[in-house]
Amino acid sequence: MLMKMRSKGAKFVTFILFGLLILSFVVWGIGDIFRTVGVDTTVVTVGDREVTQQEFATNLQQEVRRTQQALGRTIGQEEIQTFGLAQRALDRIVTQAVFDSLADDLGMTVSEAQIEERLRNDPNFKGPDGKFDPNIVRSALRANNLSESGFVRSLSDGTKRQQVLDSSMSAVKLPGFVAERLFAYEEEKRVGRYVVVYNNSFVDVPDPDEVTFQSYYNDNKQSFLSPEYRSATIIRFTAEDLVDEVSVTEEALLAAYEERREEFNDPEKRSITQLVVPDNETADKVLALVENGKTLEEAATELAVGTPVTLGEIVPGELPENLEKTAYALRNGEVGGPAESPLGFHIVRVDNIVPGVQRGFEEVRDQVERDLRLREAVDTLVSIANSLDDTLASGASLEDAARDLNLPIESFDAIDRFGRDRDQEPIAFLEPRNRIVGTVFETNANEESIVTDTGDNGYYVVRVNGITPQAEQPLDAVREQVLRAWKRQERERLAEELAKAIVAKVQEGVTLDAAIKAVDAPDTANLAVEETSPVKRDERSGEKVPSPQFTRSLFSLAPGDTETTQGQLSQIVVQLKEVMPADPQSGTADLEAIEAATAIDMEGDLFVQLMGALRQHYGVSVNQQQVNHLLSNYF
């Protein structure tokens, strides 16, 4: 078949079709996994179909590659597990097997002509000349250790799956009247009037009587518990701790300097002024005037071609190549050009030159030595971490291990979940707190964690010596905290009462403007009626509506109705002033786009239901032992 396509011509850029083709195992480095003879390596069984570890490995590698490309970096075991890539690979395998089984039951077949047509019509398979190139196909197959027959078989399987999916989804069509109603619903706009009653408008809230105060505390004791504290002993060491113990030779310093010589080369700087004109003829006129004694500014004014612009100090690499070449060919004070760019023709003047300086070895010696020591220290970290791990595994305590390996160790009587002590002061030794403190609170009492990477060129290990759980505190111990909380709640209650009083006045028949004058409000409330611009029901912008809850209330009201809703540290009186219906026949409605977008959502829902039914029909089982075997060998 490929010979036939070679004779007709087209180009093949990638051989992945629908994400279902087979990739090379060269990149895995896991060949030994599949060399077990006489051992069942089935990972997934769907009906009568069996999927091997090798197929699972391929799909997992696809997920890893895709994730690495998205992140722009490689990922390790921890992130592969965090992102759930193994499960995604298994889900894809099951999906493929289920659709393969259904395609077989339906008796579906794919001809060579169909595969050829699919390749030809896919834009990814065409090169700059728009033609098929058989050499690309041969290279792709060779690079990925695929045979022609295996490749064609993969294309055939993928095409059958797609045909099954297309036929299943072909009936999904949104009736036109539904699109119109969706448009009317989504595009309807409303104008609201509102009054914001801020909680902190109520400044002089008196202290509660003791009975009320005690009752509030009794009802909210859980909000005033003492935090859980943990006492812990921690070894933490970083590359910085090892710098002074690392020695470097003079030869190594000189070599490091030579390696970084360019880094210590302060390039020549030039202060540049430029004038951009539209054509070469105008540029020649400007340069002629300058040659006759005019300044660049005077020449520009005389010819009415704009004003020269000072670019400030520049260094090599900051300007387009031809403009930089022109600027660096001039002496101080000279004018030259023109240099052409997409913006026009540039005439350049050099206003000042600061010569470049190559800093010598002695000048940067301390910096080079410090950086080299740090680099060497980083290289020894893993070795020290392994030694610490071995020492602890032999039964040594953290204290003994720290002494034997000369590592920093600290003990703390109390650490809370935020890395603070009992005085709420941050504990500097715990940085980066997100990892170490997390480990402290994940480790059981009288147990040690494993030796763990800090993520910033360091390692640590934790032993939890004891746990002080959260506990109720007597009222007198938290009186100020309870009083602040009570007053905060009281201000909220008073603001809510005032907002409801405004609504009540409106319901009596007065306008919203009159209502805010009729209620008994503190002067600090500064009540005022405001109005929104027309907004849609999905509006959440704080510049257009006072709160997201406001929009929900606005679209639940009838014209003229008023209610209260929650704001940020406030209560809001909402009144619907106007409804602006959307007209599906206005000519601005993109009903086809709505139909298409909704159909995609419907297809997604249908696909989930179809997959659930097919999985139940064919039966799906996963051999987790084989999955774990592959993952343990891969990782």
Side-chain angles (χ1 to χ4, degrees):
M1 174 183 169
L2 291 179
M3 287 302 297
K4 182 172 71 174
M5 288 195 288
R6 289 188 193 111
S7 65
K8 295 182 180 179
K11 184 170 180 186
F12 176 60
V13 178
T14 173
F15 59 91
I16 298 179
L17 183 62
F18 312 120
L20 303 175
L21 303 188
I22 298 174
L23 296 177
S24 169
F25 288 99
V26 175
V27 296
W28 274 79
I30 53 173
D32 290 341
I33 298 175
F34 308 115
R35 293 175 187 166
T36 52
V37 179
V39 177
D40 181 18
T41 61
T42 301
V43 173
V44 176
T45 302
V46 177
D48 296 331
R49 291 180 176 274
E50 293 182 346
V51 180
T52 67
Q53 276 189 345
Q54 190 171 22
E55 292 173 84
F56 171 61
T58 298
N59 281 269
L60 177 57
Q61 181 62 14
Q62 285 180 317
E63 295 295 344
V64 171
R65 278 183 171 179
R66 189 177 295 113
T67 302
Q68 290 179 159
Q69 289 171 353
L71 295 176
R73 59 178 174 82
T74 58
I75 59 176
Q77 175 184 358
E78 182 177 341
E79 288 180 304
I80 290 174
Q81 294 173 331
T82 299
F83 295 146
L85 302 188
Q87 186 58 52
R88 277 158 54 178
L90 284 172
D91 290 342
R92 183 152 57 132
I93 286 171
V94 170
T95 300
Q96 293 173 2
V98 162
F99 275 93
D100 286 342
S101 298
L102 180 58
D104 288 347
D105 288 350
L106 294 174
M108 301 188 74
T109 60
V110 177
S111 67
E112 290 186 357
Q114 286 177 289
I115 295 176
E116 181 179 341
E117 181 182 2
R118 187 172 290 275
L119 287 172
R120 290 185 180 285
N121 292 334
D122 194 317
N124 291 318
F125 302 158
K126 296 178 181 179
D129 60 357
K131 296 182 179 180
F132 179 74
D133 185 351
N135 292 321
I136 301 297
V137 176
R138 285 195 294 267
S139 297
L141 298 182
R142 184 167 54 252
N144 292 276
N145 197 26
L146 286 172
S147 66
E148 180 180 317
S149 59
F151 172 61
V152 172
R153 185 169 58 253
S154 297
L155 286 176
S156 177
D157 290 342
T159 303
K160 286 192 289 186
R161 293 172 194 142
Q162 190 64 43
Q163 288 177 343
V164 170
L165 187 60
D166 290 345
S167 62
S168 302
M169 303 299 167
S170 60
V172 176
K173 181 174 176 56
L174 189 70
F177 74 90
V178 176
E180 291 182 359
R181 292 185 181 182
L182 284 173
F183 176 83
Y185 177 83
E186 293 176 358
E187 298 301 318
E188 175 189 308
K189 293 181 180 180
R190 295 190 172 197
V191 177
R193 306 184 80 221
Y194 64 94
V195 178
V196 180
V197 182
Y198 291 99
N199 299 346
N200 61 10
S201 299
F202 298 88
V203 179
D204 300 321
V205 177
D207 291 352
D209 60 65
E210 194 61 27
V211 173
T212 301
F213 194 54
Q214 183 70 52
S215 176
Y216 175 79
Y217 171 72
N218 291 339
D219 292 341
N220 296 277
K221 284 183 178 180
Q222 293 300 311
S223 300
F224 306 106
L225 298 176
S226 63
E228 177 183 326
Y229 289 104
R230 297 196 170 205
S231 60
T233 299
I234 304 169
I235 293 176
R236 176 174 180 256
F237 56 99
T238 68
E240 290 286 349
D241 298 322
L242 307 175
V243 165
D244 293 336
E245 300 177 18
V246 175
S247 61
V248 293
T249 65
E250 190 71 11
E251 291 78 7
L253 285 175
L254 288 169
Y257 171 76
E258 291 298 331
E259 181 181 324
R260 300 170 59 184
R261 176 180 285 273
E262 285 298 318
E263 180 183 333
F264 303 121
N265 177 20
D266 296 332
E268 176 185 298
K269 298 177 182 177
R270 294 193 166 209
S271 296
I272 302 296
T273 296
Q274 72 166 355
L275 174 66
V276 183
V277 296
D279 52 59
N280 196 45
E281 182 179 354
T282 304
D284 289 341
K285 291 179 180 179
V286 172
L287 290 171
L289 289 174
V290 171
E291 288 176 3
N292 289 327
K294 299 284 188 180
T295 66
L296 186 58
E297 287 78 7
E298 291 171 341
T301 300
E302 183 171 328
L303 295 172
V305 289
T307 303
V309 176
T310 299
L311 301 181
E313 280 192 342
I314 59 112
V315 296
E318 291 185 344
L319 294 177
E321 183 178 355
N322 58 338
L323 182 55
E324 181 177 292
K325 184 178 180 181
T326 299
Y328 273 84
L330 299 172
R331 291 192 294 269
N332 195 11
E334 284 189 336
V335 177
E340 186 178 2
S341 82
L343 299 177
F345 290 79
H346 301 247
I347 299 168
V348 179
R349 182 180 67 210
V350 176
D351 297 322
N352 188 44
I353 298 176
V354 178
V357 177
Q358 175 67 56
R359 285 182 283 167
F361 173 68
E362 291 300 331
E363 189 178 353
V364 297
R365 178 192 179 95
D366 291 345
Q367 179 184 346
V368 173
E369 182 174 0
R370 175 71 181 177
D371 293 346
L372 187 57
R373 284 176 180 269
L374 183 60
R375 188 170 69 185
E376 294 294 331
V378 170
D379 291 342
T380 64
L381 272 177
V382 175
S383 175
I384 294 175
N386 289 335
S387 297
L388 175 61
D389 199 31
D390 292 340
T391 302
L392 295 175
S394 69
S397 66
L398 260 62
E399 290 81 2
D400 292 339
R403 184 189 63 248
D404 294 344
L405 297 172
N406 192 29
L407 298 174
I409 184 171
E410 292 281 352
S411 292
F412 304 93
D413 291 333
I415 303 171
D416 71 8
R417 290 185 180 274
F418 300 98
R420 302 174 302 199
D421 59 21
R422 290 188 188 276
D423 296 325
Q424 301 299 293
E425 293 294 328
I427 302 172
F429 189 82
L430 301 184
E431 295 291 351
R433 67 185 59 179
N434 61 322
R435 294 201 179 189
I436 299 179
V437 176
T439 301
V440 168
F441 278 82
E442 291 167 1
T443 304
N444 295 326
N446 302 314
E447 291 186 2
E448 295 175 359
S449 70
I450 61 172
V451 178
T452 306
D453 184 353
T454 64
D456 66 342
N457 292 329
Y459 288 86
Y460 68 92
V461 61
V462 166
R463 183 184 67 221
V464 174
N465 302 319
I467 299 175
T468 303
Q470 288 182 305
E472 289 185 8
Q473 302 183 83
L475 177 57
D476 286 343
V478 291
R479 180 169 290 272
E480 289 301 318
Q481 184 181 351
V482 175
L483 182 60
R484 287 194 300 271
W486 183 87
K487 287 193 173 185
R488 185 166 55 247
Q489 177 180 284
E490 184 67 4
R491 290 188 179 97
E492 183 177 340
R493 183 186 68 78
L494 292 170
E496 185 177 0
E497 282 187 357
L498 179 55
K500 289 181 177 179
I502 295 171
V503 171
K505 289 292 183 183
V506 173
Q507 290 173 344
E508 291 173 4
V510 304
T511 65
L512 186 57
D513 300 84
I516 65 174
K517 296 177 181 178
V519 294
D520 183 16
D523 294 338
T524 51
N526 296 319
L527 300 180
V529 178
E530 300 183 63
E531 186 172 305
T532 70
S533 59
V535 296
K536 294 194 291 188
R537 67 181 67 245
D538 61 352
E539 185 60 67
R540 298 292 183 269
S541 171
E543 297 180 356
K544 294 187 176 182
V545 292
S547 76
Q549 294 90 335
F550 173 89
T551 307
R552 287 194 289 270
S553 289
L554 190 65
F555 278 83
S556 68
L557 296 173
D561 283 356
T562 308
E563 70 175 21
T564 65
T565 189
Q566 195 80 21
Q568 185 173 8
L569 300 178
S570 65
Q571 304 294 317
I572 303 174
V573 178
V574 186
Q575 185 178 73
L576 176 58
K577 177 185 178 183
E578 181 184 1
V579 176
M580 303 172 66
D583 181 9
Q585 307 303 323
S586 64
T588 61
D590 191 351
L591 298 181
E592 290 185 0
I594 294 176
E595 290 178 6
T598 308
I600 290 174
D601 291 339
M602 293 171 63
E603 287 177 358
D605 293 340
L606 179 58
F607 178 81
V608 171
Q609 295 180 42
L610 176 62
M611 273 300 300
L614 291 176
R615 287 173 67 108
Q616 185 174 3
H617 174 73
Y618 289 110
V620 176
S621 64
V622 177
N623 187 334
Q624 195 61 47
Q625 183 177 359
Q626 292 296 341
V627 172
N628 295 339
H629 172 69
L630 183 142
L631 294 177
S632 63
N633 280 272
Y634 175 56
F635 294 132

